[in-house]
Each structure stands twice: as C-alpha cells, then as structure tokens.
Amino acid sequence: MSLRTAFEIATQATGGVAFRVMRINDWMRLGRACAIITRMNARFLGIADLVETPSVAVVVDVMRAFTVAAWAFAQGAEKIVLAETLNEALALKALHPDWVALKDGPPVPGFDLVNSPGLLRSVDLDGRTVVQKTTAGTVGALAVKEAPLVLCASFVVAEATARLLRTRESGSVTFVVTGEDGQADEDLACAQYIARRVSDAGTDAAEFLRRAAESRAAAELAEGIRQGVHPDDVALCLEVDRFPFAMVATLEGSLMVLRPRAMPSRPGPAVGVDP
C-alpha cells in the first residue's frame, strides 16, 4: 500500500485528522479499514487444478527443486533455465556446453548435478547458467508461465517471498502445491506459511516445519528411497529464511528463466489473507 493510500485511510478513519495523536478506537478503525482494503485472496491448488492463468502464482517445491534453486543462486549461479523435459535440458546443454545441467534422481551421462541441496552446496556456480528439470517443481512453474508474476518458493526463501508479495496490490495469489498431485504436505505447509507471513512476519514456523518434517517426501529422502540424496537434504530443506532473496521466473524468448531478486530487510505493509 502506498503512503498516500495509508494517509487517505487514516484521514477517513479518524474524521479527517490524520496527524493528531490517535485514541485507541481511532487505531482500531484504521486497522480494520486497512485490512478490508488490502485483503488478499490466497488459493492453494495442485498443478492439475490450474484451469486459468493466475495473476500472481507462487510455485512451491520444498523437497527439493526450489530449495536446490535457492542454493544454486547462493553458490553464484546467474540464472536457472527451467526445462520442460530431460531431452530439452540435454539439448540446451549441447548448445551451451558451459551451462550446468541438473536433474532429479541418480547421476546420468550428460547431466552435471543432481537435485540435492546437500550435494550442491559445495559446488562453485559463479556466473553460471543452470538448466533444471525436476519431477514437480519445474513442471509447476511451466504450468503458470503465462502469469504476470511467477515466484518459485520453499522455506529457505519464505520471508523474502512474502515480502515481495507485500509490495504488490494484487487481490489474488495462487499457491501451486507441486508435489503428489497437490497433496504434498511439505509444499502445502510451506505455501500456507508464506501466506501467513504476508500478513504477519512474526508467524511461528514450528507447526509448518513439523508437518514438512513428517511428510512422505521427508521420509523417503531420509530412508534413501529416493536417489541422488545427501544425508543433510531434509534438514537443509527445512531451514527457514536462509536466503534474503525471492526467486522470480519470467519468459525470456521461449525459455522460462528463474532469477533471484534481493528484497530489502524492511518489511512492507501487512496484507490480510483469507483462509
């Protein structure tokens, strides 16, 4: 919300005297007015449930696509190209031999890295372009590629993502829960946590992290059912606000490209979130 809008709300709420010392009732009326005017409608949908292009999409993959993406940026990557298929990832790698190709599962010829934050955190990616193809996260981002704003998120960039959402005046935000056909509790928990953080930066993460830690994805990673895993992957996926940037995906020509966007430390105006 702009300062001018806030001033107009204050003027209405206090009988035209915005700069006098307000009584408690004045502040209560102001708070209610701000909440009504800036209310955000949050929807939580699986990839298959997307029937229209949202105005704002937050695509969530905690374990592990967008935790890995955040680590790639932290390790110096300039951008991440989200590939539709493994063949497209390999084709892009062939056209650009200096690009780094990354996929789910075990290592295979043609790919440089696997989708593991624990394995990625020791890799120098300074100035490099990463091509990422995963089972759920990249699929979800590409499903909303026509949206005016697409953010890719996980717990490690939760507050930065919420902060970016606070700067916008959109009335509707669609959270795309990518895992398990929209049923992955680690992704839903993270999406709900970010939505809460939009209105309350002090929201306690404990219950949301508990749900993620007890999810099927976390169990499969911890038990070695999934391949291409480091023992620290689950813990790294559950680090809240490790990085001070949001991740914005945009179409650049025919490619969906993810880049980090640093967010200022000062929180923006609160926005109410419908349950």
Side-chain angles (χ1 to χ4, degrees):
M1 183 191 302
S2 68
L3 289 174
R4 180 176 179 179
T5 302
F7 175 82
E8 290 171 351
I9 294 171
T11 301
Q12 286 184 337
T14 62
V17 187
F19 289 119
R20 69 180 171 83
V21 178
M22 291 185 178
R23 296 170 300 182
I24 292 177
N25 287 344
D26 292 332
W27 283 111
M28 291 176 65
R29 288 199 299 273
L30 174 58
R32 286 195 294 269
C34 290
I36 292 170
I37 290 174
T38 62
R39 184 164 296 280
M40 181 184 80
N41 176 34
R43 301 187 302 165
F44 304 89
L45 301 176
I47 297 171
D49 299 320
L50 295 164
V51 296
E52 59 185 10
T53 301
S55 58
V56 178
V58 180
V59 187
V60 181
D61 189 330
V62 173
M63 298 184 185
R64 295 164 284 171
F66 297 139
T67 301
V68 165
W71 270 99
F73 290 129
Q75 294 301 106
E78 177 185 349
K79 63 184 179 183
I80 298 174
V81 177
L82 305 178
E84 297 241 13
T85 65
L86 294 175
N87 286 339
E88 182 189 22
L90 290 173
L92 288 168
K93 170 73 174 178
L95 285 173
H96 307 277
D98 58 324
W99 287 12
V100 178
L102 181 155
K103 65 173 285 292
D104 277 333
V108 298
F111 285 87
D112 306 288
L113 299 170
V114 294
N115 193 45
S116 162
L119 295 173
L120 187 68
R121 62 182 169 174
S122 61
V123 178
D124 182 5
L125 295 173
D126 188 36
R128 306 288 293 276
T129 294
V130 174
V131 181
Q132 185 181 34
K133 170 66 179 88
T134 68
T135 306
T138 58
V139 176
L142 289 163
V144 292
K145 63 184 179 182
E146 302 294 339
L149 176 63
V150 179
L151 306 179
C152 296
S154 60
F155 280 111
V156 296
V157 293
E159 171 55 22
T161 303
R163 196 176 300 147
L164 194 154
L165 291 172
R166 290 186 206 121
T167 68
R168 298 187 59 85
E169 296 182 355
S170 172
S172 178
V173 176
T174 297
F175 289 85
V176 183
V177 180
T178 60
E180 300 177 29
D181 297 322
Q183 302 302 309
D185 203 32
E186 74 280 4
D187 293 340
L188 180 58
C190 183
Q192 292 170 337
Y193 177 61
I194 292 171
R196 295 274 187 90
R197 287 284 290 262
V198 173
S199 60
D200 180 8
T203 297
D204 189 353
E207 175 60 20
F208 301 96
L209 290 172
R210 181 197 63 77
R211 288 166 53 193
E214 294 176 0
S215 67
R216 185 169 77 175
E220 290 180 353
L221 289 171
E223 294 167 10
I225 295 174
R226 300 188 185 187
Q227 295 182 293
V229 177
H230 186 279
D232 293 340
D233 277 356
V234 172
L236 291 172
C237 290
L238 299 179
E239 289 187 318
V240 177
D241 302 336
R242 169 115 192 186
F243 304 116
F245 53 79
M247 300 188 293
V248 183
T250 56
L251 281 172
E252 298 184 14
S254 61
L255 300 177
M256 190 67 164
V257 179
L258 188 63
R259 296 180 186 271
R261 181 178 298 180
M263 297 304 299
S265 58
R266 182 180 178 181
V271 181
V273 180
D274 287 333

